[in-house]
Amino acid sequence: MSITVNGLDELKKLADADLGTSEWIEVTQDRIGTFADATDDHQWIHTDPERAAQGPFGAPIAHGYLTLSLFIPLFTQLLDVRGVTTKVNYGLNKVRFPAPVKAGSRIRLVARLTSVEDVPGGVQITVDGTIEVDGGTKPAAVVQSLSRFYV
């Protein structure tokens, strides 16, 4: 379920709020292969299902940065900021990949908006996010993300 805010004043009121949990999305072998093509990272652990089945995880795994890149589509399921002209990914304070995402696994995001700070022309938000793997005991990624919204 998405939270919708209209403008920066409403966004500021969400500081220190739980944003909820996104829907599950599947990380298919095709998605992993497309990411490998886009980044020129064709390491066998990602792209060779037969060899990866014999590897340390028993299956091909997603690139950590593929998992990280899925933060945005998962996050947009949780928060819709309207009444702004520009939305920018500003950076990351922390990223960890505690567990692999095997091809065919489903992931989702659990997020909390920890702060909203004024910046020239807009605001910067800090979001603490955990990307969970369906059935997993450890998260696939733990992220502290910074985004800016300008009027």
Side-chain angles (χ1 to χ4, degrees):
M1 180 177 86
S2 179
I3 297 170
T4 300
V5 296
N6 293 296
L8 300 183
D9 289 337
E10 285 187 23
L11 181 58
K12 290 176 184 180
K13 292 177 185 176
L14 281 181
D16 203 32
D18 285 324
L19 298 177
T21 304
S22 73
E23 298 294 321
W24 293 105
I25 63 169
E26 185 177 359
V27 181
T28 64
Q29 185 64 51
D30 285 343
R31 186 184 295 251
I32 294 168
T34 299
F35 189 85
D37 290 342
T39 60
D40 279 337
D41 181 353
H42 292 92
Q43 183 183 23
W44 63 269
I45 196 74
H46 308 300
T47 60
D48 185 340
E50 290 180 19
R51 185 172 176 196
Q54 305 306 314
F57 304 108
I61 60 169
H63 307 71
Y65 287 124
L66 168 56
T67 303
L68 179 61
S69 73
L70 294 171
F71 177 88
I72 293 300
L74 293 167
F75 179 71
T76 59
Q77 292 181 24
L78 301 180
L79 181 63
D80 180 17
V81 180
R82 297 181 182 175
V84 297
T85 61
T86 308
K87 303 172 184 180
V88 178
N89 296 319
Y90 190 68
L92 302 163
N93 285 337
K94 181 179 179 180
V95 177
R96 298 291 183 266
F97 303 110
V101 176
K102 293 180 181 180
S105 295
R106 297 186 320 153
I107 62 171
R108 68 180 180 185
L109 174 66
V110 179
R112 178 175 192 80
L113 196 160
T114 57
S115 70
V116 182
E117 302 171 15
D118 289 320
V119 296
V123 299
Q124 176 174 295
I125 67 170
T126 303
V127 174
D128 287 346
T130 302
I131 298 177
E132 300 177 336
V133 180
D134 193 10
T137 59
K138 292 183 180 180
V142 179
V143 178
Q144 188 174 72
S145 172
L146 305 173
S147 299
R148 289 192 172 182
F149 298 86
Y150 296 100
V151 291

